[in-house]
Amino acid sequence: TTLVSGPPISYRASTNGVDVATKRGWYLDLAITNATINTNSALTTTGTLAFSVNVPTNAICDPGGSSYFFGLNASTGGAVPKVAGGNTYHDAGVFLAYALASRPVIVQTAEGKRALIRLSDKSIGNPLVPESVGMTAPWKRIYWRSLK
């Protein structure tokens, strides 16, 4: 899946997912300069893979940077469609903060599932986790590795 960069606040992913019956998996080409996925991901019961993306600063002796939150369909690597106001959106990633992010911890709230993410500026991000209605994850374990 290749992400097409949108505004600096969000990123979109294709809904043309990988056919895992004929392919061995999918990869993600981050369209964010110097981005790295250096935290563990989380998998929801409906098959959304949630993870944080960090972009460290290049300044010497500055431990900061910026971070994003992504939620993708773990089976296909595509976007999890969201419907709001009668429109369908395919946002896959959102800007979190000008701080580095920890791994997401998924919690159930009255509004739906949220990812609790501790940030390096001592605040906590809590974006909604996109989920497909009526889906369940068809696996028990997820493995990933950085390709460089």
Side-chain angles (χ1 to χ4, degrees):
T1 301
T2 300
L3 293 181
V4 179
S5 62
I9 301 301
S10 67
Y11 287 84
R12 295 187 176 192
S14 168
T15 55
N16 300 327
V18 173
D19 180 6
V20 292
T22 60
K23 303 290 182 191
R24 294 182 58 187
W26 54 269
Y27 70 93
L28 178 66
D29 183 13
L30 289 172
I32 305 169
T33 304
N34 297 327
T36 182
I37 302 171
N38 58 353
T39 63
N40 290 330
S41 57
L43 181 65
T44 70
T45 55
T46 59
T48 298
L49 182 65
F51 56 95
S52 301
V53 174
N54 287 309
V55 183
T57 182
N58 290 330
I60 297 173
C61 296
D62 184 358
S66 58
S67 56
Y68 295 82
F69 170 75
F70 280 80
L72 297 172
N73 180 319
S75 293
T76 66
V80 178
K82 296 178 246 180
V83 178
N87 295 317
T88 302
Y89 298 94
H90 299 98
D91 292 337
V94 295
F95 178 78
L96 278 176
Y98 288 107
L100 299 178
S102 71
R103 68 182 176 92
V105 175
I106 308 300
V107 296
Q108 181 68 48
T109 68
E111 299 171 326
K113 291 183 180 160
R114 288 193 173 269
L116 295 181
I117 302 170
R118 179 167 289 243
L119 300 166
S120 62
D121 65 0
K122 299 183 181 177
S123 65
I124 295 177
N126 62 350
L128 278 170
V129 177
E131 295 212 273
S132 296
V133 178
M135 285 190 61
T136 56
W139 54 80
K140 294 185 181 183
R141 292 187 182 204
I142 292 285
Y143 296 98
W144 71 275
R145 66 185 172 111
S146 180
L147 300 175
K148 292 212 176 198

